[in-house]
Amino acid sequence: MKSILDARAAAAMVVAAVIGSGRTLDSAFAEYLDDVRDPRDRAMVRAMAYGVIRFYPRLEQMLDQLLDRPMKRREIRLRSLLLAGLYQINGMNTPAHAAVDATVSATAAIGRPRARGLVNAVMRRYLRERETVDERAMQSQEGRWAHPGWLIGRLRSDWPSDWEDILEANNSHPPMWLRVNRSLIGPEEYLKLHAPPGARSGRFVPESLLLDSPLDVDVIAGFEKGLVSVQDGAAQLAAHLLDAREGSRVLDACAAPGGKTAHILELTPGITLHALESNRIRLSLIESNLNRLHLRCGILEGDAGQPAGWWDGEPYDRVLVDAPCTASGVIRRHPDIKLLRREADLRSAAEQQRRILDGLWPTLRPGGRMIYATCSVFMVENEAQISSFLERTPDARSVPLDGFGEWGRVTGSGRQILPGEAAMDGFYYACLTKLQ
Ligand SMILES: C[S@@+](CC[C@H](N)C(=O)[O-])C[C@H]1O[C@@H](n2cnc3c(N)ncnc32)[C@H](O)[C@@H]1O
C-alpha cells in the first residue's frame, strides 16, 4: 500500500504542529496520520513523533551544535525533520545510512527539496561527531533530563528526594491498563477467559488489569461490547475512594470524557449520578462512552464553580472533583505537555481549582464525602490547594485515605502517587467531609 505522505515527512509535520503552533500531539496525528496509508508507516510516524517530542529539549541541543548558523523561525518543518532524523539514529537505532537517506528524501515531501544538501550535511556531521555532540547535549540540565528548565526546577523544589525518579519516569513509555466492567463480568472471569496473554491484576483495584504491552482497542476482547475500558491504575482508585452506596446522590463535577463516571456506575447500581462538564464538545464524549458500556446517568452542561447555573438545590452525598490541572503526572503518556505548558499555567490551574472547590462545597450535604483528584504532581495544585481550602472552609475536614493497600504516599491531607510508582500515573487524591 503506497502512502500519500512519507513517514518521516509526516512525523516532521506532526512535530512542527506541536512546537510551531502549540497543537497537541493527538490533534496533529488526527490531521496527518490519515495521509499515511500503510499501518506500519503509521506506527513509525507515531513512534518518531512521540520520541522527538519526548526528547525535544535534548535533541534541540544536539541540532544546535550541528548547524553552522541558527535556522530561521519559519523553517519549523525543516527543523522538525532534522530532529526526527537525529532521533532515528539516537533513539530508534535506525541504521545510519538508512536514516540519512530517508531524511534527505523527505525534504521534498515537506516542501523543501532544496534543503537536501543541508539535511545531508547535518546528518553526516552527526554521524562523524556523534560522541561529542551527545556528550555536550547531556551537559545542561535540559539536555540531561530532556525537560524544560522551569519544570525541572519545580519538580526539584516540590520533590527534593524524588525529582530525578519523576523525570526519568516521565521519559519512559507508559504501560497500558484496562478496567473490567464489573456490571457485566467479574474481573477473574475476564482475566481467565478474555484477557490478552501476559495481563495481570493490578495491586490496588480488583478490576484493574495491567497489560504486558500496549494493544489497539480493536484487538482487545470484549472492548466493543463494553466488557473493558482503557484507564490507568491510578485513575481507577477514584471511584473506590468516593465510596458511593446504593441510593446515593452523586455528582461527578468535571466528568468528560467520562472514564470515572462510568467506573462509579459500574461499581454501584442504584445510585443517582449527575455528570457535569463545562466543555460542550467534551460533554458528548461522556454519552458515547457510557453507551458502549451499557450505562446511563444524568448529564449536565455547566461550570462547576457556579452551581446556580445547573444545580437543582438538592445536596449530593458524594462529589468527585477530578479537577482540570496541568497534567504534570501524565507526561509519560502525553510528552507534549513538556512543551505546551508554561510555568504561568500552574497559577491559572490552581486558581481554577480553588474556584471550583469553593463553588462545589455548598452542593455537598453535611456528612457527605468529596474526593478531590488531579493528575498532577505539583504541590500548589494538590497539598497546598487542599490545605488552603481547609483553612478557609470552617465546616470542612480532611479524611485519611485508608484502604486499597499501600498506594502512593501521605502528603498531609491527601496522598500522592508519583509517575511510574506501581506502574501508575502521577495522581493526587484528597478526601473531604462536611461537618454535620
Ligand atoms: C481531568 S479532566 C476529567 C477526566 C474525567 N473525570 C475522566 O475520568 O474521564 C477535567 C475535565 O474538567 C472539565 N472542566 C474544566 N473546567 C471545568 C469547570 N469549570 N466546570 C466543569 N468542568 C470543567 C474539562 O473540560 C475536563 O473535561
Side-chain angles (χ1 to χ4, degrees):
M1 208 184 306
K2 186 90 181 89
S3 293
I4 304 174
L5 201 52
D6 165 85
R8 274 96 183 161
M13 310 282 216
V14 169
V15 169
V18 177
I19 62 178
S21 313
R23 305 250 309 268
T24 62
L25 269 171
D26 285 345
S27 92
F29 283 134
E31 179 171 346
Y32 294 109
L33 267 190
D34 280 352
D35 292 340
V36 182
R37 300 252 176 82
D38 188 322
R40 280 165 309 181
D41 281 351
R42 279 207 293 272
M44 186 167 172
V45 174
R46 293 184 72 86
M48 226 185 290
Y50 262 99
V52 172
I53 296 299
R54 188 170 279 130
F55 292 103
Y56 180 79
R58 182 180 303 162
L59 293 164
E60 275 274 284
Q61 308 242 344
M62 288 158 54
L63 180 57
D64 285 346
Q65 295 175 59
L66 297 165
L67 292 166
D68 290 333
R69 52 176 179 275
M71 286 176 86
K72 297 200 177 86
R73 277 185 65 81
R74 63 187 156 79
E75 291 283 24
I76 200 80
R77 281 189 180 168
L78 184 56
R79 190 171 183 87
S80 302
L81 179 64
L82 284 166
L83 294 171
L86 296 180
Y87 179 68
Q88 280 174 81
I89 298 171
N90 180 274
M92 294 175 91
N93 292 325
T94 309
H97 63 276
V100 175
D101 290 354
T103 310
V104 170
S105 307
T107 49
I110 62 157
R112 293 289 282 106
R114 287 159 71 175
R116 285 177 73 91
L118 172 73
V119 171
N120 191 38
V122 168
M123 295 292 289
R124 290 191 185 282
R125 180 165 178 197
Y126 180 55
L127 294 180
R128 283 196 310 275
E129 300 174 21
R130 185 172 173 183
E131 218 168 288
T132 332
V133 169
D134 289 357
E135 209 179 284
R136 279 208 198 118
M138 297 296 263
Q139 277 165 10
S140 71
Q141 289 285 301
E142 279 99 334
R144 160 85 177 84
W145 297 108
H147 277 66
W150 73 266
L151 232 167
I152 301 172
R154 275 282 178 169
L155 290 173
R156 239 181 140 140
S157 66
D158 279 1
W159 297 101
S161 314
D162 303 281
W163 63 278
E164 290 166 304
D165 292 342
I166 299 173
L167 290 166
E168 246 155 40
N170 287 352
N171 288 339
S172 67
H173 287 258
M176 186 169 183
W177 289 80
L178 298 181
R179 182 189 80 233
V180 178
N181 181 352
R182 284 171 74 163
S183 69
L184 296 180
I185 187 167
E188 300 81 20
E189 192 185 346
Y190 183 86
L191 185 60
K192 208 161 104 193
L193 298 180
H194 305 290
R200 59 186 194 278
S201 298
R203 265 168 62 194
F204 308 116
V205 171
E207 60 277 13
S208 65
L209 290 182
L210 184 58
L211 302 193
D212 235 9
S213 51
L215 290 173
D216 202 287
V217 291
D218 298 342
V219 299
I220 293 177
F223 182 85
E224 257 322 298
K225 288 191 190 141
L227 298 191
V228 277
S229 299
V230 176
Q231 189 178 43
D232 185 80
Q236 294 191 41
L237 282 160
H240 287 276
L241 299 174
L242 193 64
D243 192 26
R245 311 283 169 89
E246 198 178 336
S248 295
R249 225 176 109 79
V250 180
L251 173 68
D252 183 355
C254 300
K260 298 184 189 70
T261 313
H263 195 192
I264 298 164
L265 292 165
E266 288 166 7
L267 287 184
T268 336
I271 57 171
T272 301
L273 192 147
H274 294 158
L276 174 74
E277 169 61 46
S278 61
N279 179 321
R280 186 168 292 179
I281 297 169
R282 288 176 61 81
L283 191 79
S284 62
L285 301 173
I286 303 176
E287 194 159 7
S288 52
N289 267 330
L290 294 184
N291 284 344
R292 182 182 61 84
L293 296 162
H294 311 281
L295 300 166
R296 237 168 234 287
C297 74
I299 297 179
L300 305 172
E301 181 181 346
D303 173 2
Q306 297 197 318
W310 49 266
W311 185 38
D312 60 11
E314 210 180 310
Y316 291 100
D317 304 296
R318 300 286 185 267
V319 175
L320 173 61
V321 189
D322 190 16
C325 68
T326 57
S328 60
V330 293
I331 287 177
R332 59 187 192 149
R333 287 193 194 283
H334 303 286
D336 45 352
I337 290 170
K338 285 182 187 180
L339 309 182
L340 300 178
R341 288 289 171 279
R342 299 283 173 266
E343 192 163 17
D345 297 338
L346 253 175
R347 191 192 304 176
S348 48
E351 274 165 14
Q352 177 76 325
Q353 291 150 0
R354 179 187 171 103
R355 197 182 66 79
I356 288 176
L357 275 168
D358 289 344
L360 287 172
W361 191 244
T363 70
L364 183 70
R365 82 160 162 75
R369 189 175 172 93
M370 175 181 275
I371 294 291
Y372 174 80
T374 72
C375 57
S376 177
V377 294
F378 292 133
M379 293 290 177
V380 296
E381 300 182 86
N382 297 341
E383 199 52 42
Q385 182 68 260
I386 292 304
S387 55
S388 130
F389 178 76
L390 288 167
E391 267 168 35
R392 67 179 180 273
T393 315
D395 59 348
R397 292 288 180 277
S398 78
V399 179
L401 286 168
D402 297 328
F404 310 103
E406 293 296 307
W407 55 274
R409 58 191 71 196
V410 176
T411 52
S413 304
R415 284 177 94 120
Q416 178 77 53
I417 302 164
L418 294 179
E421 280 180 0
M424 296 190 286
D425 283 345
F427 247 82
Y428 173 83
Y429 284 109
C431 179
L432 303 166
T433 189
K434 190 181 273 189
L435 294 183
Q436 304 257 20

Short mmCIF file of all heavy atoms in Angstrom, two decimals, residues 347-388:
data_model
loop_
_atom_site.label_atom_id
_atom_site.label_comp_id
_atom_site.label_asym_id
_atom_site.label_seq_id
_atom_site.Cartn_x
_atom_site.Cartn_y
_atom_site.Cartn_z
N ARG A 347 -0.21 28.67 37.93
CA ARG A 347 -1.01 29.58 38.74
C ARG A 347 -2.47 29.60 38.27
O ARG A 347 -3.40 29.56 39.06
CB ARG A 347 -0.42 30.99 38.71
CG ARG A 347 -1.15 31.77 39.78
CD ARG A 347 -0.97 33.23 39.77
NE ARG A 347 0.42 33.64 39.83
CZ ARG A 347 0.76 34.91 39.74
NH1 ARG A 347 -0.16 35.82 39.57
NH2 ARG A 347 2.02 35.27 39.79
N SER A 348 -2.67 29.61 36.94
CA SER A 348 -4.06 29.67 36.48
C SER A 348 -4.80 28.36 36.79
O SER A 348 -5.98 28.38 37.14
CB SER A 348 -4.17 30.05 35.01
OG SER A 348 -3.30 29.29 34.25
N ALA A 349 -4.09 27.22 36.72
CA ALA A 349 -4.74 25.95 37.09
C ALA A 349 -5.14 25.98 38.56
O ALA A 349 -6.26 25.61 38.93
CB ALA A 349 -3.80 24.77 36.81
N ALA A 350 -4.23 26.47 39.41
CA ALA A 350 -4.52 26.49 40.85
C ALA A 350 -5.69 27.43 41.15
O ALA A 350 -6.54 27.13 41.99
CB ALA A 350 -3.28 26.92 41.63
N GLU A 351 -5.76 28.56 40.43
CA GLU A 351 -6.88 29.49 40.67
C GLU A 351 -8.21 28.85 40.26
O GLU A 351 -9.22 28.97 40.94
CB GLU A 351 -6.69 30.77 39.86
CG GLU A 351 -5.83 31.78 40.61
CD GLU A 351 -5.31 32.89 39.73
OE1 GLU A 351 -5.80 33.06 38.59
OE2 GLU A 351 -4.38 33.60 40.18
N GLN A 352 -8.18 28.16 39.14
CA GLN A 352 -9.39 27.49 38.65
C GLN A 352 -9.83 26.39 39.63
O GLN A 352 -11.02 26.24 39.93
CB GLN A 352 -9.08 26.91 37.26
CG GLN A 352 -10.17 26.11 36.60
CD GLN A 352 -11.27 26.99 36.04
OE1 GLN A 352 -11.61 28.03 36.61
NE2 GLN A 352 -11.86 26.55 34.95
N GLN A 353 -8.87 25.64 40.15
CA GLN A 353 -9.20 24.57 41.11
C GLN A 353 -9.81 25.17 42.38
O GLN A 353 -10.79 24.65 42.92
CB GLN A 353 -7.93 23.78 41.45
CG GLN A 353 -7.41 22.95 40.29
CD GLN A 353 -5.90 22.75 40.30
OE1 GLN A 353 -5.20 23.23 41.19
NE2 GLN A 353 -5.40 22.04 39.30
N ARG A 354 -9.25 26.28 42.82
CA ARG A 354 -9.75 26.94 44.03
C ARG A 354 -11.20 27.39 43.82
O ARG A 354 -12.07 27.17 44.67
CB ARG A 354 -8.85 28.15 44.32
CG ARG A 354 -9.25 28.95 45.51
CD ARG A 354 -8.38 30.22 45.60
NE ARG A 354 -8.91 31.09 46.62
CZ ARG A 354 -8.39 31.23 47.83
NH1 ARG A 354 -7.32 30.58 48.16
NH2 ARG A 354 -8.95 32.02 48.72
N ARG A 355 -11.45 27.96 42.65
CA ARG A 355 -12.80 28.45 42.33
C ARG A 355 -13.79 27.29 42.27
O ARG A 355 -14.91 27.37 42.77
CB ARG A 355 -12.72 29.17 40.97
CG ARG A 355 -13.87 30.08 40.63
CD ARG A 355 -13.69 30.67 39.25
NE ARG A 355 -13.76 29.66 38.18
CZ ARG A 355 -14.88 29.14 37.70
NH1 ARG A 355 -16.05 29.52 38.16
NH2 ARG A 355 -14.85 28.21 36.76
N ILE A 356 -13.36 26.18 41.68
CA ILE A 356 -14.24 25.02 41.55
C ILE A 356 -14.54 24.42 42.94
O ILE A 356 -15.69 24.10 43.25
CB ILE A 356 -13.61 23.98 40.59
CG1 ILE A 356 -13.69 24.51 39.15
CG2 ILE A 356 -14.28 22.63 40.70
CD1 ILE A 356 -13.02 23.63 38.10
N LEU A 357 -13.50 24.28 43.76
CA LEU A 357 -13.71 23.72 45.10
C LEU A 357 -14.69 24.58 45.90
O LEU A 357 -15.64 24.06 46.51
CB LEU A 357 -12.37 23.66 45.85
CG LEU A 357 -11.49 22.43 45.60
CD1 LEU A 357 -10.10 22.65 46.18
CD2 LEU A 357 -12.12 21.18 46.22
N ASP A 358 -14.47 25.89 45.88
CA ASP A 358 -15.35 26.79 46.64
C ASP A 358 -16.77 26.75 46.09
O ASP A 358 -17.73 26.76 46.85
CB ASP A 358 -14.81 28.24 46.59
CG ASP A 358 -13.56 28.40 47.43
OD1 ASP A 358 -13.27 27.51 48.27
OD2 ASP A 358 -12.84 29.41 47.25
N GLY A 359 -16.89 26.70 44.76
CA GLY A 359 -18.23 26.68 44.16
C GLY A 359 -18.98 25.40 44.50
O GLY A 359 -20.19 25.42 44.74
N LEU A 360 -18.28 24.28 44.53
CA LEU A 360 -18.96 22.99 44.72
C LEU A 360 -19.30 22.69 46.18
O LEU A 360 -20.20 21.89 46.45
CB LEU A 360 -18.08 21.85 44.18
CG LEU A 360 -17.97 21.73 42.67
CD1 LEU A 360 -16.92 20.69 42.29
CD2 LEU A 360 -19.33 21.33 42.06
N TRP A 361 -18.55 23.29 47.09
CA TRP A 361 -18.71 22.90 48.51
C TRP A 361 -20.17 22.96 48.99
O TRP A 361 -20.66 22.02 49.64
CB TRP A 361 -17.78 23.75 49.39
CG TRP A 361 -17.71 23.24 50.79
CD1 TRP A 361 -18.12 23.86 51.93
CD2 TRP A 361 -17.19 21.96 51.21
NE1 TRP A 361 -17.89 23.08 53.03
CE2 TRP A 361 -17.32 21.90 52.62
CE3 TRP A 361 -16.64 20.86 50.55
CZ2 TRP A 361 -16.93 20.80 53.37
CZ3 TRP A 361 -16.24 19.77 51.30
CH2 TRP A 361 -16.39 19.73 52.69
N PRO A 362 -20.94 24.02 48.65
CA PRO A 362 -22.33 24.07 49.11
C PRO A 362 -23.20 22.92 48.55
O PRO A 362 -24.26 22.63 49.12
CB PRO A 362 -22.85 25.41 48.56
CG PRO A 362 -21.63 26.21 48.28
CD PRO A 362 -20.56 25.23 47.91
N THR A 363 -22.76 22.26 47.50
CA THR A 363 -23.60 21.20 46.92
C THR A 363 -23.45 19.88 47.70
O THR A 363 -24.20 18.93 47.44
CB THR A 363 -23.26 20.92 45.43
OG1 THR A 363 -21.97 20.29 45.36
CG2 THR A 363 -23.25 22.19 44.60
N LEU A 364 -22.49 19.81 48.62
CA LEU A 364 -22.27 18.57 49.38
C LEU A 364 -23.11 18.61 50.65
O LEU A 364 -23.11 19.61 51.37
CB LEU A 364 -20.77 18.45 49.75
CG LEU A 364 -20.34 17.19 50.47
CD1 LEU A 364 -20.41 15.98 49.52
CD2 LEU A 364 -18.91 17.32 51.02
N ARG A 365 -23.81 17.51 50.94
CA ARG A 365 -24.63 17.52 52.16
C ARG A 365 -23.74 17.34 53.39
O ARG A 365 -22.66 16.71 53.28
CB ARG A 365 -25.70 16.42 52.09
CG ARG A 365 -25.21 15.06 52.47
CD ARG A 365 -26.35 14.12 52.85
NE ARG A 365 -25.88 12.74 52.79
CZ ARG A 365 -25.08 12.17 53.70
NH1 ARG A 365 -24.62 12.86 54.72
NH2 ARG A 365 -24.72 10.91 53.56
N PRO A 366 -24.15 17.86 54.56
CA PRO A 366 -23.37 17.64 55.78
C PRO A 366 -23.19 16.14 56.01
O PRO A 366 -24.12 15.35 55.82
CB PRO A 366 -24.25 18.27 56.88
CG PRO A 366 -25.06 19.31 56.17
CD PRO A 366 -25.32 18.75 54.80
N GLY A 367 -22.00 15.73 56.33
CA GLY A 367 -21.70 14.30 56.50
C GLY A 367 -21.30 13.64 55.18
O GLY A 367 -20.87 12.49 55.16
N GLY A 368 -21.43 14.37 54.09
CA GLY A 368 -21.10 13.80 52.77
C GLY A 368 -19.59 13.77 52.53
O GLY A 368 -18.81 14.26 53.33
N ARG A 369 -19.23 13.18 51.39
CA ARG A 369 -17.80 12.94 51.10
C ARG A 369 -17.45 13.54 49.75
O ARG A 369 -18.15 13.30 48.76
CB ARG A 369 -17.66 11.42 51.05
CG ARG A 369 -16.27 10.84 50.98
CD ARG A 369 -16.43 9.31 51.06
NE ARG A 369 -15.19 8.62 50.82
CZ ARG A 369 -14.34 8.25 51.77
NH1 ARG A 369 -14.60 8.49 53.03
NH2 ARG A 369 -13.22 7.61 51.46
N MET A 370 -16.38 14.31 49.74
CA MET A 370 -15.91 14.89 48.46
C MET A 370 -14.50 14.34 48.20
O MET A 370 -13.64 14.39 49.08
CB MET A 370 -15.85 16.41 48.56
CG MET A 370 -15.27 17.08 47.33
SD MET A 370 -15.17 18.89 47.46
CE MET A 370 -16.81 19.38 46.96
N ILE A 371 -14.29 13.82 46.99
CA ILE A 371 -12.94 13.38 46.61
C ILE A 371 -12.40 14.41 45.63
O ILE A 371 -13.03 14.71 44.61
CB ILE A 371 -12.96 11.99 45.96
CG1 ILE A 371 -13.40 10.91 46.95
CG2 ILE A 371 -11.59 11.64 45.35
CD1 ILE A 371 -12.40 10.61 48.07
N TYR A 372 -11.24 14.96 45.98
CA TYR A 372 -10.55 15.90 45.09
C TYR A 372 -9.39 15.14 44.45
O TYR A 372 -8.63 14.46 45.14
CB TYR A 372 -10.03 17.08 45.92
CG TYR A 372 -9.18 18.05 45.12
CD1 TYR A 372 -9.76 19.01 44.29
CD2 TYR A 372 -7.79 18.00 45.19
CE1 TYR A 372 -8.98 19.90 43.56
CE2 TYR A 372 -7.00 18.88 44.46
CZ TYR A 372 -7.62 19.82 43.64
OH TYR A 372 -6.84 20.69 42.91
N ALA A 373 -9.29 15.22 43.13
CA ALA A 373 -8.24 14.48 42.42
C ALA A 373 -7.60 15.36 41.36
O ALA A 373 -8.28 16.19 40.75
CB ALA A 373 -8.84 13.25 41.75
N THR A 374 -6.29 15.18 41.17
CA THR A 374 -5.64 15.77 39.99
C THR A 374 -4.66 14.73 39.45
O THR A 374 -4.18 13.88 40.20
CB THR A 374 -4.82 17.04 40.29
OG1 THR A 374 -3.64 16.67 41.01
CG2 THR A 374 -5.60 18.08 41.06
N CYS A 375 -4.33 14.85 38.15
CA CYS A 375 -3.25 14.01 37.62
C CYS A 375 -1.99 14.88 37.53
O CYS A 375 -1.32 14.93 36.52
CB CYS A 375 -3.63 13.39 36.27
SG CYS A 375 -4.06 14.58 35.00
N SER A 376 -1.74 15.57 38.64
CA SER A 376 -0.56 16.45 38.71
C SER A 376 0.31 16.04 39.89
O SER A 376 -0.14 15.37 40.81
CB SER A 376 -1.01 17.90 38.88
OG SER A 376 0.13 18.74 39.01
N VAL A 377 1.57 16.47 39.84
CA VAL A 377 2.48 16.21 40.96
C VAL A 377 2.90 17.51 41.64
O VAL A 377 3.73 17.49 42.54
CB VAL A 377 3.75 15.44 40.50
CG1 VAL A 377 3.40 14.05 40.03
CG2 VAL A 377 4.51 16.19 39.42
N PHE A 378 2.33 18.64 41.20
CA PHE A 378 2.75 19.91 41.78
C PHE A 378 1.98 20.22 43.06
O PHE A 378 0.75 20.11 43.09
CB PHE A 378 2.54 21.05 40.78
CG PHE A 378 3.45 20.98 39.59
CD1 PHE A 378 2.95 21.15 38.31
CD2 PHE A 378 4.82 20.77 39.74
CE1 PHE A 378 3.78 21.10 37.20
CE2 PHE A 378 5.66 20.72 38.65
CZ PHE A 378 5.14 20.87 37.37
N MET A 379 2.71 20.66 44.07
CA MET A 379 2.11 20.93 45.38
C MET A 379 1.00 21.97 45.32
O MET A 379 -0.01 21.85 45.99
CB MET A 379 3.18 21.43 46.37
CG MET A 379 4.21 20.39 46.72
SD MET A 379 3.49 19.11 47.75
CE MET A 379 4.90 18.01 47.91
N VAL A 380 1.20 23.03 44.49
CA VAL A 380 0.19 24.10 44.51
C VAL A 380 -1.17 23.62 44.02
O VAL A 380 -2.19 24.20 44.36
CB VAL A 380 0.57 25.34 43.65
CG1 VAL A 380 1.77 26.03 44.20
CG2 VAL A 380 0.73 25.03 42.22
N GLU A 381 -1.18 22.56 43.23
CA GLU A 381 -2.46 22.03 42.76
C GLU A 381 -3.01 20.97 43.70
O GLU A 381 -4.17 20.60 43.59
CB GLU A 381 -2.27 21.38 41.39
CG GLU A 381 -1.75 22.32 40.33
CD GLU A 381 -1.65 21.63 38.99
OE1 GLU A 381 -2.65 21.61 38.28
OE2 GLU A 381 -0.57 21.09 38.69
N ASN A 382 -2.17 20.49 44.59
CA ASN A 382 -2.54 19.34 45.40
C ASN A 382 -2.58 19.67 46.88
O ASN A 382 -3.55 20.22 47.37
CB ASN A 382 -1.56 18.19 45.10
CG ASN A 382 -1.64 17.75 43.65
OD1 ASN A 382 -2.63 18.03 42.97
ND2 ASN A 382 -0.63 17.08 43.15
N GLU A 383 -1.48 19.35 47.57
CA GLU A 383 -1.49 19.51 49.01
C GLU A 383 -1.74 20.96 49.43
O GLU A 383 -2.55 21.23 50.31
CB GLU A 383 -0.16 18.99 49.57
CG GLU A 383 -0.19 18.68 51.03
CD GLU A 383 -1.32 17.76 51.45
OE1 GLU A 383 -1.61 16.78 50.75
OE2 GLU A 383 -1.93 18.05 52.50
N ALA A 384 -1.06 21.90 48.76
CA ALA A 384 -1.23 23.32 49.15
C ALA A 384 -2.65 23.78 48.83
O ALA A 384 -3.24 24.56 49.58
CB ALA A 384 -0.21 24.18 48.41
N GLN A 385 -3.21 23.28 47.75
CA GLN A 385 -4.58 23.64 47.37
C GLN A 385 -5.55 23.18 48.46
O GLN A 385 -6.44 23.91 48.89
CB GLN A 385 -4.91 22.94 46.04
CG GLN A 385 -6.26 23.22 45.47
CD GLN A 385 -6.39 24.65 45.00
OE1 GLN A 385 -6.96 25.48 45.71
NE2 GLN A 385 -5.87 24.96 43.83
N ILE A 386 -5.39 21.94 48.92
CA ILE A 386 -6.32 21.38 49.90
C ILE A 386 -6.10 22.00 51.28
O ILE A 386 -7.06 22.32 51.99
CB ILE A 386 -6.19 19.83 49.94
CG1 ILE A 386 -6.71 19.25 48.62
CG2 ILE A 386 -6.96 19.23 51.11
CD1 ILE A 386 -8.15 19.63 48.25
N SER A 387 -4.85 22.24 51.65
CA SER A 387 -4.68 22.83 52.99
C SER A 387 -5.22 24.25 53.01
O SER A 387 -5.82 24.68 53.99
CB SER A 387 -3.24 22.72 53.50
OG SER A 387 -2.38 23.28 52.60
N SER A 388 -5.10 24.97 51.91
CA SER A 388 -5.66 26.33 51.89
C SER A 388 -7.20 26.25 51.90
O SER A 388 -7.87 27.06 52.54
CB SER A 388 -5.07 27.10 50.71
OG SER A 388 -6.03 27.70 49.94
#
